[in-house]
Amino acid sequence: QASTQPRAEDILALLNERVPKRSLSLGYRLAVVVTALVILLLPLLYIGMALLIAWLFLYLLPVQIFASGNANSIKSSILVFLLGPILLFFMLKPLLARRPKAIEPKPLDPRKEPLLFAYVNRLCEVVGAPKPANIYFDVNPTAAASLGFGFRAIFRRDMKLIIGLPLAGDLNLRQLSGVLAHELGHFAQGASMRLTRVVDAINAWFASVVYGRDVWDERLESWSDSSQYSFGSLFRMARGLIWLTRRYLWLLMMAGHAVSRYTSRQMEFDADRYKATVSGSEAFAETLRRVRVLDLAAAVASRHVNEMWSEGRLVNDLPGLAVASVDRIDPQLLMALDEHASKQETGYFDTHPAFRERVARAESKQTPGIVTDERPARVL
């Protein structure tokens, strides 16, 4: 058994070339600039609308109504004056809400996984990307590259790499190297990756404003249904105006999504270039298909976990169960998935290009690949 264990030197020797550097296209650069401008403009529009409401309901309308001098107008002015703070409270509420603290996973220990860390670091040199500060495992068939935890990570070279254990348990070395090269390619994108963090944060915040509901929304609904006529009308008017402001914010959010998603797709195409160069154009499509199958297998495994839980049993190797579940998938379903992927079109709000577009670009490069070793990726 010891004789079959590969030497670290032999594994690292597979990475003996570098991905050629290429200047970013004009379309890519313009997309990044436009995205930055739009995303930074959206919060300003939100704050501007809040100031407009404050001016309208706390100054302009009350002054105009009081100027008429009759008792009914004065009563209406009081209601309008009360309506302004309610609207402002519900607009500013998301700004004041405390964000839940993210749970930080435990990073891998380089002393316990020396070959994996050495391989990733060598692959960073091949791609021309900064080395990750930490590497994490995940039980899902996914891989991801992102900045470290917290907002301050935007200003640091604090990169983290996440490797899904089902990928390591099912793919071969060539395929996994391509997947990792894709993620490390995002590291090489530098400012674009940092912009993505800001964009995601702003988009998530807009989504919380548009769709988020809390105890205060429930109270307003209750007050509008149970209060006396005057105050009931006030609360119903407030609910209607809050709905209108959220529709306006929904339009801003969708505009931000459309612009940022286009940039995201350009970043994915750029990262695909690293993947195709490292694993080869031929292995590119095969890897995408296999990851899609593993995603489905993970869903099958999750269903089995729920069944076992109802029987009072637990699984001791969830990633292993996901890999084993590949053989349980109906072949007809796999054929249907392939057919669907071959016909799928890229939507305006998709973060990734469609499967066939990615494959077509990779195959057009006709690269043999830097890593052609097809031993199981578990050797790492």
Side-chain angles (χ1 to χ4, degrees):
Q1 186 174 5
S3 62
T4 61
Q5 183 66 27
R7 296 190 308 163
E9 295 81 0
D10 296 335
I11 297 296
L12 297 178
L14 299 173
L15 301 171
N16 56 4
E17 299 179 39
R18 290 181 179 269
V19 176
K21 289 189 176 182
R22 186 193 66 172
S23 59
L24 298 176
S25 66
L26 178 61
Y28 184 111
R29 295 175 185 272
L30 286 176
V32 171
V33 172
V34 171
T35 299
L37 293 176
V38 171
I39 291 301
L40 293 176
L41 178 63
L42 294 182
L44 296 179
L45 291 175
Y46 180 85
I47 294 172
M49 187 174 69
L51 294 175
L52 177 62
I53 288 176
W55 175 74
L56 184 65
F57 285 92
L58 299 182
Y59 174 73
L60 182 63
L61 288 179
V63 169
Q64 294 295 325
I65 296 175
F66 266 118
S68 62
N70 62 64
N72 289 332
S73 296
I74 293 174
K75 182 179 178 180
S76 300
S77 178
I78 294 173
L79 291 176
V80 169
F81 191 80
L82 293 174
L83 185 60
I86 295 176
L87 280 175
L88 283 175
F89 171 77
F90 278 88
M91 289 195 68
L92 298 178
K93 178 165 60 74
L95 293 173
L96 304 176
R98 181 178 297 179
R99 298 290 182 265
K101 186 177 180 181
I103 299 176
E104 298 186 9
K106 185 177 180 180
L108 295 178
D109 187 347
R111 294 169 297 181
K112 295 181 179 179
E113 301 288 348
L115 178 56
L116 175 63
F117 274 82
Y119 193 83
V120 169
N121 289 340
R122 181 70 66 85
L123 194 54
C124 287
E125 296 174 3
V126 169
V127 171
K131 298 175 182 178
N134 290 300
I135 300 178
Y136 303 85
F137 275 160
D138 195 289
V139 297
N140 299 303
T142 184
S146 65
L147 300 174
F149 298 99
F151 182 79
R152 287 179 295 179
I154 298 175
F155 306 101
R156 301 196 302 259
R157 293 173 66 88
D158 183 13
M159 308 289 189
K160 64 176 182 177
L161 176 66
I162 300 173
I163 304 174
L165 284 172
L167 300 181
D170 183 78
L171 301 182
N172 60 42
L173 194 55
R174 180 180 192 175
Q175 293 169 332
L176 184 62
S177 297
V179 171
L180 296 181
H182 175 98
E183 301 306 330
L184 296 175
H186 285 305
F187 285 173
Q189 290 168 343
S192 300
M193 189 175 182
R194 286 171 168 75
L195 174 64
T196 300
R197 167 63 72 86
V198 176
V199 167
D200 289 343
I202 293 177
N203 283 339
W205 181 80
F206 265 102
S208 69
V209 174
V210 174
Y211 299 112
R213 299 294 182 270
D214 58 19
V215 64
W216 285 105
D217 293 276
E218 296 174 1
R219 286 178 182 174
L220 181 62
E221 183 176 353
S222 175
W223 292 338
S224 65
D225 294 335
S226 60
S227 298
Q228 295 180 351
Y229 177 76
S230 296
F231 284 102
S233 299
L234 172 68
F235 294 136
R236 283 190 289 273
M237 288 175 59
R239 287 178 60 188
L241 290 173
I242 290 169
W243 182 87
L244 287 175
T245 58
R246 283 175 173 163
R247 290 300 91 192
Y248 167 73
L249 293 173
W250 180 85
L251 292 174
L252 295 181
M253 180 185 71
M254 298 309 290
H257 279 324
V259 174
S260 61
R261 291 306 199 271
Y262 175 81
T263 303
S264 175
R265 293 194 296 271
Q266 299 308 308
M267 293 174 66
E268 291 301 323
F269 276 135
D270 182 66
D272 279 348
R273 180 178 68 90
Y274 297 98
K275 180 177 182 178
T277 305
V278 169
S279 65
S281 299
E282 182 180 347
F284 184 94
E286 179 186 350
T287 305
L288 282 182
R289 292 190 184 95
R290 194 62 184 178
V291 172
R292 188 171 65 239
V293 171
L294 283 171
D295 282 333
L296 182 58
V300 173
S302 178
R303 185 188 66 191
H304 286 306
V305 167
N306 291 332
E307 293 173 354
M308 287 188 287
W309 172 255
S310 65
E311 298 170 359
R313 296 185 294 142
L314 292 174
V315 61
N316 66 348
D317 183 0
L318 184 57
L321 179 61
V323 174
S325 298
V326 170
D327 296 332
R328 302 181 182 182
I329 302 176
D330 186 348
Q332 296 295 327
L333 178 57
L334 295 179
M335 292 177 60
L337 284 175
D338 285 337
E339 183 178 0
H340 172 73
S342 65
K343 297 179 180 179
Q344 189 177 14
E345 299 285 347
T346 301
Y348 290 113
F349 300 102
D350 290 340
T351 57
H352 289 61
F355 172 82
R356 64 176 184 175
E357 290 185 36
R358 299 177 68 181
V359 171
R361 285 211 183 188
E363 291 181 345
S364 67
K365 302 182 185 305
Q366 297 182 345
T367 58
I370 296 173
V371 179
T372 57
D373 194 311
E374 296 191 351
R375 280 178 289 181
R378 292 187 296 273
V379 299
L380 294 178

